[in-house]
Amino acid sequence: MYRKKRIAILTGGGDAPGINAVIRAVAKKAILEYGIEVIGVEDGYEGLIHNRCRKLHYDDVSGILTLGGTILGASKTSNPYRYAVTAGGRVVFEDVSRKAIRNVREWGIDALVCIGGDGTLGIAHRLMKDGVAVVGVPKTIDNDIRGTEVTFGFDSAVAIATEAIDRLHSTAQSHHRVMIVEVMGHRAGWIALYAGVAGGGDIILIPEIPYGIGAIAAKVKERHRKGRRFSIVVVAEGAKPKGGDFVIKKMVEKSADPVRLGGVGFVLQDQLEKITGSETRTVVLGHLQRGGSPTAADRVLATRLGSKAVDLIVDRKLGQMVAVKEGRLTAVPLEVAAGGPRTVPRGHPLIAAARSIGTSFGD
Ligand code: F6P
C-alpha cells in the first residue's frame, strides 16, 4: 500500500533564536510542496530515545517565525550513544541508540532533520552510519560549526550583545569606569569579536588570542592619559590568559561536553582594578543572548536553511548538513560539522580591521 513520505524534525543542544523559523520552513515546504508528513520529536534526542514524538500539522508551524526558543523543546544532555543514567548513586553512561533507532523505524520516518550544533550533528552522523537517513541544519549562537561560514542564531546573539555594550557605554562614561562585558561563545570568540567591533569595545578578548593582564591595563591607562576616563572590555567566556586556562563556571556531569564556561569577567575585574586603580564593573550577558525573537537576518537564514534541508531529503543527498559558503547555500558531509569547533583564525580580517583602529586584543 502507498504510504506518504514522512520526515521528523529534532532540535538538540542549546536553543538559539531562529530554531522555530527553521522548523516552520522545513515543515511548511515538506507539507505544501511535497505532501510529506512531518513529525516533531520532543526535547532533542531525549524524545527520540523515549518515543516522545507528535505529528506536526500546518497550523502547528504557522505563526512561529518570530518566536524565540524551540516549540519542540531541546536537551543538552541526551546522547543515545552515551546516555546518562543514575545507578547506585553514580552517573553511568549507556548506549541506548538501538532504542532510538527502533523508534525511528516504528514511526516510519524516512528522514530525520537534526537542527543543532557540533554535538547534535556528531550524533546525527553516527545515526546515519547506523542506517538512519539524516540531514543536518547548523544552529548555534556561537557560530562555531565547521563546514559553514555562518550559523543561524549568531546574528541575533551579536545584536543583543551589541545593544548591551551600547547601553553600558553611557554608564561607563558617566562614572569614569571600566566596564567588562562577558559574552558567550564557548571555546570560540566569534560573538565577542563581532559584538566587540559593533559596540566599539576598546579591548576585545577572545580564546584564540590569549591575553596579558599588563597589556589590558596599559590600554586602559593610555586611554585615561588621553582624556578617555572610561573603557569597555568585551570578553568571551572562553578567553584565557597567556599560559593559563579558561574559567569554568560549573561541570554538568550528564552532559557529553560537561564544561560550562563563565566568570572570566570577574577575574579580570579584580586584577584590573588593582593595577589601574580605576573602578571596574562586570556584566555577564549569559542566556540573554539565546533568548527572544531572531533578527531579520536570522529569520532569512533560517528560512533558507530549512528550505534547503527539504531539498536535500527529496534529492536523497543524505548524511549532509546544509551550509553557507561564500554567501551561497551548499551541503557538506555531516562528519565535517562533527569535527570540533570552528574557532576564529588569528588572521581574520575583522581582527586586522579592529587593530588598525586602535582596538586592543590584550596581547
Ligand atoms: O553553545 C551555546 C552556549 O550558549 C554557549 O555559548 C555556552 O557556553 C553554553 O551554550 C551554555 O550552556 P548552558 O545552556 O548549558 O548553560
Side-chain angles (χ1 to χ4, degrees), residues 14-15 76 140-142 144 184-187 191 237 249 252 259-261 287 290:
D15 62 356
K76 286 194 84 170
T140 168
I141 62 163
D142 303 338
D144 63 348
M184 279 188 166
H186 206 219
R187 292 168 208 237
I191 299 177
E237 61 182 359
K249 182 174 64 185
V252 182
V259 178
R260 296 292 179 275
L261 301 171
H287 295 83
R290 295 221 309 250

Side-chain angles (χ1 to χ4, degrees), residues 9-291:
I9 309 173
L10 167 159
T11 58
D15 62 356
I19 298 187
N20 286 326
V22 176
I23 295 173
R24 169 181 176 268
V26 170
K28 280 195 173 182
K29 178 160 177 169
I31 295 168
L32 291 179
E33 201 157 311
Y34 297 105
I36 296 173
E37 283 184 343
V38 183
I39 305 294
V41 182
E42 290 175 7
D43 302 337
Y45 291 111
E46 185 75 14
L48 205 60
I49 296 164
H50 297 294
N51 205 13
R52 284 196 275 110
C53 305
R54 64 174 192 265
K55 196 158 175 208
L56 290 181
H57 301 277
Y58 186 90
D59 284 351
D60 296 320
V61 297
S62 181
I64 63 169
L65 173 67
T66 62
L67 273 189
T70 158
I71 59 162
L72 293 175
S75 161
K76 286 194 84 170
T77 50
S78 295
N79 177 348
Y81 293 94
R82 204 169 172 273
Y83 189 68
V85 286
T86 311
R90 272 183 346 115
V91 174
V92 291
F93 293 93
E94 287 177 359
D95 183 344
V96 295
S97 56
R98 287 161 80 144
K99 206 174 157 194
I101 293 169
R102 198 181 329 119
N103 290 332
V104 172
R105 305 261 182 269
E106 279 175 9
W107 275 91
I109 292 163
D110 300 298
L112 179 63
V113 179
C114 294
I115 305 171
D118 56 350
T120 301
L121 298 173
I123 296 167
H125 178 52
R126 285 189 75 175
L127 285 173
M128 183 75 202
K129 286 205 280 191
D130 286 341
V132 179
V134 174
V135 161
V137 180
K139 167 242 62 174
T140 168
I141 62 163
D142 303 338
N143 199 34
D144 63 348
I145 301 182
R146 288 194 195 189
T148 185
E149 280 158 12
V150 66
T151 59
F152 76 83
F154 173 62
D155 187 71
S156 304
V158 169
I160 294 161
T162 303
E163 193 197 333
I165 297 166
D166 288 350
R167 289 176 184 276
L168 291 167
H169 235 113
S170 58
T171 169
Q173 208 157 6
S174 312
H175 290 274
H176 319 298
R177 282 173 172 163
V178 176
M179 275 288 178
I180 300 174
V181 191
E182 182 180 309
V183 299
M184 279 188 166
H186 206 219
R187 292 168 208 237
W190 294 104
I191 299 177
L193 176 61
Y194 275 73
V197 169
D202 306 299
I203 298 150
I204 299 173
L205 305 175
I206 61 175
E208 295 83 352
I209 306 178
Y211 63 80
I213 194 70
I216 302 170
K219 178 72 181 177
V220 170
K221 286 184 183 165
E222 177 202 311
R223 283 179 52 80
H224 217 265
R225 271 198 310 277
K226 290 181 176 164
R228 305 263 181 271
R229 293 167 61 202
F230 74 97
S231 289
I232 302 287
V233 182
V234 181
V235 60
E237 61 182 359
K240 51 193 171 200
K242 285 178 187 162
D245 219 337
F246 42 65
V247 180
I248 295 175
K249 182 174 64 185
K250 75 184 272 184
M251 299 294 285
V252 182
E253 215 185 343
K254 290 187 172 175
S255 183
D257 185 358
V259 178
R260 296 292 179 275
L261 301 171
V264 62
F266 295 105
V267 173
L268 282 171
Q269 174 182 311
D270 288 348
Q271 295 174 337
L272 265 185
E273 225 166 28
K274 276 195 195 99
I275 306 175
T276 62
S278 295
E279 224 188 337
T280 305
R281 295 284 190 271
T282 300
V283 174
V284 180
L285 296 185
H287 295 83
L288 275 177
Q289 295 157 100
R290 295 221 309 250

